[in-house]
Amino acid sequence: WFGQGGYFSNAISYQKKFGMAKVWLAYSPEESHPQDALSNAGHAGAKGDLMASLVFNIPNGQVGVAYAKDNNATGTTGPAGEKNTKVFGKYSFGTSTVLAQYEQSKSDVATDYKVYFVGYQLKLPSMNKLAVQLGQTKLDSGANPKTGYAAIGMFHNFSKKTSIFAVYRKTSPDGANDQKAFSVGLREKF
């Protein structure tokens, strides 16, 4: 999908830190051509494509906003365009960290949607961590206009390079059966 932090080719990018703020901009000045979709696997930039973010580092956390515009000013067939906006933040206190995010996507041809997310992480003794997440996606149309999400996970670090985790997730779409998943894994950093 086309969004902030995503990739598109033939772009000019600028990144700069200003004290506690960090700005990132990417813009595509190039006209796209029909063969671009084949040669770049659909990641070709089109004139007017734009991605931008502004992040502020605050004491014990950060807040930010990101924006992406898929202009599709190609003169060819395909989606007419999409705009994505994201507002996010993170704050740590003691052994706790709270994360929150709001996303909105508007499209000229597809369903618009909004995503709400909040997470909590707690550092526990003996190199353990507990994470709890809640979220909701709301579509402007469709058979399942609202989907709820909840997850809980436990992480244990054997060392700085080796850790294990166990995570349970439940997704609940309106008008459909709940989807549940349980995952256990081992992670090794090289």
Side-chain angles (χ1 to χ4, degrees), residues 144-190:
N144 308 106
K146 189 168 32 171
T147 300
Y149 160 85
I152 185 166
M154 188 71 170
F155 304 83
H156 175 72
N157 294 312
F158 292 107
S159 67
K160 290 184 177 183
K161 293 186 174 185
T162 307
S163 61
I164 61 171
F165 62 88
V167 179
Y168 172 77
R169 187 257 311 156
K170 179 180 176 183
T171 305
S172 305
D174 278 354
N177 293 332
D178 290 349
Q179 302 166 2
K180 300 173 185 174
F182 182 73
S183 177
V184 177
L186 172 68
R187 183 176 176 190
E188 180 71 26
K189 292 182 184 177
F190 295 98

Side-chain angles (χ1 to χ4, degrees), residues 98-109:
V98 176
L99 307 111
Q101 184 166 308
Y102 167 77
E103 296 179 35
Q104 178 178 309
S105 179
K106 293 188 177 224
S107 174
D108 295 339
V109 295

Side-chain angles (χ1 to χ4, degrees), residues 53-54 58 155:
S53 68
L54 176 61
I58 60 174
F155 304 83

